[in-house]
Amino acid sequence: DVANAQQRADVEEMLVILNGLYPQAQPPEAITGSPEEAEAPVQRMLGVIEAVTDAELFAGRDLKELAGHLATEAAGTCALYRAGNDAVALEGMFAIGELYVRYLADFLDFMVPEVHEEAYEVINGITGLESESAEDDDDEDEDEEAQALDADLAGSCMELQEALEEAYEALGG
């Protein structure tokens, strides 16, 4: 067992609370009470599990570390593009892009908009992923930018990696 007695007891306590809120695996036909009541015990339980596993289970908790992690992932993705393995590299771009638009995009757009613009342009241009606050632009240059991204995927990926490294530094890394 990796968890100590107190950690096991804490998780068991949270599971008892959650079992009271959700007595079966499937939600009931009519949910009674507020599903938000489960948030506190789940957050507490995740904290214990993170301590036991020495892992971050919520990607948005430490934005500096997330930016650094995404820069590292981008390095591997760019190597795949350089090697001509575009299909696998695209999977990497989607993984990076999902985390970026979900957790980093809005914050970086506020804190370091020029860095965000660089990263977001590549992510959106290659994957089509959009942040929730993305403005609907009918920019005439978008088609030309998309063609430029497609023409040099490895170079565009390197731009993304550099932007993510800049984001990491801007966040205190």
Side-chain angles (χ1 to χ4, degrees), residues 34-158:
S34 171
E36 291 179 4
E37 291 177 37
E39 185 176 356
V42 167
Q43 290 288 340
R44 185 172 165 209
M45 187 168 58
L46 281 175
V48 172
I49 293 170
E50 284 180 331
V52 169
T53 61
D54 191 29
E56 294 270 342
L57 300 177
F58 177 64
R61 184 169 288 145
D62 187 340
L63 297 181
K64 176 188 74 161
E65 289 302 314
L66 178 58
H69 171 71
L70 293 182
T72 300
E73 291 300 313
T77 298
C78 295
L80 290 167
Y81 275 125
R82 285 191 304 275
N85 198 344
D86 292 2
V88 176
L90 182 59
E91 290 179 25
M93 287 299 288
F94 271 102
I96 293 165
E98 281 289 334
L99 290 170
Y100 183 86
V101 299
R102 184 175 297 169
Y103 299 111
L104 280 173
D106 290 341
F107 186 73
L108 290 178
D109 190 25
F110 175 72
M111 295 299 292
V112 281
E114 65 284 350
V115 172
H116 163 70
E117 189 175 319
E118 271 183 64
Y120 184 72
E121 182 179 295
V122 173
I123 288 169
N124 178 259
I126 292 176
T127 66
L129 295 170
E130 295 182 351
S131 66
E132 288 185 21
S133 66
E135 295 178 22
D136 291 329
D137 269 339
D138 288 333
D139 192 16
E140 296 173 6
D141 296 331
E142 284 183 10
D143 289 337
E144 290 176 24
E145 290 172 8
Q147 288 173 351
L149 289 172
D150 288 341
D152 184 16
L153 290 170
S156 297
C157 185
M158 294 294 290

Side-chain angles (χ1 to χ4, degrees), residues 7-27:
Q7 290 168 326
R8 285 192 299 277
D10 287 346
V11 169
E12 288 297 325
E13 179 186 341
M14 296 308 103
L15 288 173
V16 167
I17 292 170
L18 292 172
N19 283 334
L21 294 170
Y22 302 104
Q24 59 196 30
Q26 300 295 323

